[in-house]
């Protein structure tokens, strides 16, 4: 059964930035705000296990891992640049009363 988890206020997520958050089970996720839309993915690069919220660079809807410079599309999680081949897990995002929620 899925549940909605409140993470932060929309105002706390600046445009073009990456913010790390922790789910109740301890899983780390990364939040991104691009063009006013908020996206959520797993926080660790699937290639090098580096935190994308701490070490990643966001360029439009692409996040780049600083370790080996692999890239992912944050809208789908798809690996878009080598050496990354495995997609990031993505999470549905809902904004409710000015707060960011993800469905897990």
């Amino acid at each position: 059964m899925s549940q909605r988890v409140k993470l932060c206020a929309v105002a706390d997520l600046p445009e073009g930035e990456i913010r790390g958050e922790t789910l109740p089970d301890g899983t780390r996720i990364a939040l991104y705000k691009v063009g006013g839309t908020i996206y959520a993915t797993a926080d660790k690069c699937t290639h090098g296990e580096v935190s994308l919220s701490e070490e990643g660079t966001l360029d439009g809807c692409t996040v780049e891992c600083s370790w080996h410079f692999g890239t992912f599309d944050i809208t789908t999680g798809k690996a878009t640049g080598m050496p990354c081949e495995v997609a990031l897990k993505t999470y549905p995002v809902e904004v409710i009363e000015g707060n960011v929620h993800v469905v897990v």
Side-chain angles (χ1 to χ4, degrees):
M1 182 172 151
S2 62
Q3 73 177 60
R4 206 177 275 122
V5 178
K6 180 179 169 182
L7 297 173
C8 65
V10 172
D12 293 337
L13 187 59
E15 181 72 25
E17 297 286 323
I18 308 170
R19 177 184 172 115
E21 290 287 341
T22 304
L23 298 177
D25 69 359
T27 301
R28 292 283 298 165
I29 66 169
L31 297 176
Y32 316 83
K33 187 175 183 184
V34 177
T37 301
I38 300 170
Y39 302 94
T41 70
D43 188 41
K44 285 195 176 185
C45 174
T46 58
H47 174 259
E49 305 240 344
V50 172
S51 168
L52 296 172
S53 64
E54 294 176 16
E55 303 288 334
T57 303
L58 186 61
D59 182 15
C61 288
T62 300
V63 64
E64 180 181 77
C65 175
S66 65
W67 198 11
H68 293 115
F69 308 107
T71 58
F72 300 92
D73 181 330
I74 63 169
T75 67
T76 63
K78 180 180 178 182
T80 57
M82 294 299 285
C84 301
E85 296 178 342
V86 176
L88 293 171
K89 180 176 181 173
T90 60
Y91 297 85
V93 175
E94 297 176 0
V95 175
I96 301 170
E97 297 178 358
N99 293 302
V100 178
H101 296 72
V102 293
V103 179
V104 294

